[in-house]
Amino acid sequence: MSVRVMTTNVLSPEHADWDSRQPVLQSTLAELRPDVIALQEVVTADFLDSGYALAWHGRRSADGVGAALASRWPLGTVAETDLQVNNRTEDFPWAGVVVAEILAPEPFLFVHNKPSWPIPQTYEREQQALRCARFIEEQRAGRRIHVVLAGDFDATPDSSSIRFWTGRQSLGGMSVAYQDAWEALHPDDPGHTFSPRNPLVREGEMFLETGRRIDYIMVRCGSHGPTLEVADCFLAFDQPVDGVWATDHFGVVADLRMPARPPSSW
């Protein structure tokens, strides 16, 4: 099995001339042909072709903005939990996690994680990471199944929540390990996905941004490492098309495949 995974925050349609941006999103996605996608800041998925099955986060902002998971393969069981961990997260109603069973030739779980975005909410993102990780384990229910985790995590690689995800520290008496696809292939490249190189960042609400990597694709590890191999990982929407930037985030694309032999075997 090989699978192309993508995560992208498309910047809600109320911002930055959606009528010009939507065709760029549509044409680029058609060219890249991801098998599964985690989409943030979406109102509709009209820019996707009709071959995708969709699982939406159940809650949205008052203006209809939310998140969705899309798959070219049929969806099996879909489960959701919110990430409303305290009163500071209430202003962001679609913070949540959707776990979908992807009925590919080799079925896997695709997890779309969207924690809180405000920069000072490190504690909240820690608690949200814990809730998400526990929810994933509940959905796995002890099955030997691949887990791919993706989304806009709004946290840098050295932050506590990402260190938790990548097995560098524990939180709340729990530890997990997921391989960061970008880091696996580009360990010396910061890979900023929210960057002042993008004029939509400089024109937006966070115009003093200096550059961060906050969007991720990860593969769950067993005792002997990740169960899928990262064959490729690259940025999308990191250049304008005919002068139009599709969104203020650079998307992340990863090609994952079954390893030549299972981890733990000589």
Side-chain angles (χ1 to χ4, degrees):
M1 183 189 73
S2 63
V3 55
R4 173 161 284 188
V5 183
M6 184 174 191
T7 182
T8 188
N9 184 316
V10 305
L11 182 61
S12 61
E14 65 186 282
H15 300 302
D17 191 6
W18 175 248
D19 289 341
S20 296
R21 295 192 294 112
Q22 182 174 359
V24 177
L25 284 164
Q26 189 166 2
S27 62
T28 303
L29 288 167
E31 178 183 346
L32 292 172
R33 291 186 57 79
D35 297 306
V36 289
I37 319 173
L39 296 163
Q40 304 90 43
E41 287 199 46
V42 285
V43 175
T44 70
D46 293 345
F47 49 86
L48 294 178
D49 68 40
S50 59
Y52 286 97
L54 294 172
W56 289 87
H57 278 50
R59 302 176 66 180
R60 300 192 184 201
S61 299
D63 56 3
V65 174
L69 174 159
S71 170
R72 287 193 181 276
W73 290 296
L75 301 178
T77 302
V78 177
E80 179 180 12
T81 190
D82 70 71
L83 293 179
Q84 299 300 320
V85 295
N86 62 25
N87 59 4
R88 292 216 304 174
T89 64
E90 293 174 355
D91 291 337
F92 186 43
W94 50 278
V97 179
V98 170
V99 179
E101 183 179 21
I102 308 298
L103 301 180
E106 175 87 13
F108 64 96
L109 297 183
F110 186 43
V111 182
H112 187 184
N113 177 45
K114 186 66 198 86
S116 295
W117 63 267
I119 290 174
Q121 290 191 10
T122 298
Y123 171 77
E124 283 74 13
R125 283 186 288 273
E126 288 180 356
Q127 299 307 303
Q128 290 166 332
L130 270 171
R131 182 177 290 188
C132 180
R134 288 170 176 153
F135 188 63
I136 293 170
E137 295 309 302
E138 290 172 7
Q139 302 311 307
R140 286 184 66 248
R143 291 183 292 168
R144 298 182 67 177
I145 189 169
H146 307 291
V147 179
V148 179
L149 172 69
D152 171 6
F153 288 29
D154 274 302
T156 56
D158 60 348
S159 65
S160 53
S161 59
I162 302 302
R163 286 174 56 82
F164 168 77
W165 281 119
T166 54
R168 291 177 169 92
Q169 73 169 73
S170 61
L171 286 175
M174 182 181 186
S175 63
V176 296
Y178 285 71
Q179 184 178 61
D180 175 352
W182 180 266
E183 182 184 54
L185 296 189
H186 310 285
D188 299 320
D189 185 337
H192 291 167
T193 58
F194 196 63
S195 167
R197 183 165 68 82
N198 186 331
L200 297 185
V201 172
R202 298 195 306 270
E203 294 166 8
E205 297 171 325
M206 296 184 175
F207 57 89
L208 297 180
E209 177 64 52
T210 58
R212 291 175 288 155
R213 182 159 72 91
I214 57 177
D215 303 85
Y216 298 87
I217 296 169
M218 299 186 185
V219 178
R220 185 183 181 276
C221 297
S223 298
H224 296 84
T227 63
L228 293 171
E229 179 183 1
V230 182
D232 198 7
C233 189
F234 57 92
L235 298 180
F237 307 121
D238 58 335
Q239 299 292 333
V241 175
D242 296 327
V244 177
W245 292 80
T247 173
D248 61 344
H249 282 239
F250 301 151
V252 182
V253 182
D255 291 328
L256 309 177
R257 65 189 177 196
M258 292 289 290
R261 56 189 177 88
S264 81
S265 64
W266 281 97

